[in-house]
Amino acid sequence: GSALDLGFGISALEHYDEAVEISQDEFERATEMEIKAGLAQELADRLFNRGLCRVFMGNVPDTPSDLRECGLADISKARDLDYDVKDYLIANKLLLGYSDQWFTRILRRIHGLYTHFADQ
């Protein structure tokens, strides 16, 4: 029922929060730009996943009223990081070497968004 869904969702969000925090710390400590770009993509993935979880839970009773908006903010931050990484890869002529990862990441994100909106 709803209490089980809420408990599972809160547990999932706690794990996402921890994953985002770890990625953020690693990103901030990195000094070499190509490594930092990879860490930015990892952080973007984790923000995107947490954002989707927050958006999915936004309609669950007894969750914070701003949960959906926080999820959309996470997805927006992920998009901004994606653009920054893409700009870095293009500027340093590295995009071709990362194109398979880039394409796969975009397909996963599209699938995640489609899944959400298809269920509504």
Side-chain angles (χ1 to χ4, degrees):
S2 182
L4 178 62
D5 295 341
L6 180 59
F8 177 78
I10 296 300
S11 177
L13 283 175
E14 289 170 354
H15 291 291
Y16 281 127
D17 288 344
E18 182 180 359
V20 167
E21 186 176 316
I22 290 168
S23 284
Q24 192 124 25
D25 289 345
E26 289 175 350
F27 172 76
E28 289 171 3
R29 283 194 311 248
T31 56
E32 201 275 311
M33 287 307 293
E34 194 168 344
I35 291 172
K36 197 167 183 103
L39 292 171
Q41 288 185 321
E42 178 183 284
L43 176 57
D45 285 342
R46 291 178 176 189
L47 283 166
F48 182 84
N49 292 337
R50 182 177 72 179
L52 274 186
C53 184
R54 286 175 165 177
V55 168
F56 288 154
M57 289 185 59
N59 296 329
V60 175
D62 300 322
T63 57
S65 61
D66 66 342
L67 195 60
R68 187 172 193 285
E69 289 76 24
C70 289
L72 294 173
D74 277 349
I75 292 169
S76 179
K77 287 177 197 172
R79 182 199 58 214
D80 292 345
L81 282 168
D82 287 337
Y83 287 152
D84 290 346
V85 169
K86 181 190 67 154
D87 291 345
Y88 167 80
L89 294 175
I90 289 171
N92 291 281
K93 298 179 181 16
L94 298 169
L95 186 60
L96 187 59
Y98 289 91
S99 61
D100 59 333
Q101 293 173 16
W102 190 264
F103 184 71
T104 301
R105 175 172 283 107
I106 298 303
L107 285 179
R108 279 195 325 263
R109 303 260 179 90
I110 291 169
H111 181 262
L113 291 170
Y114 171 77
T115 300
H116 170 67
F117 289 109
D119 287 343
Q120 290 191 356

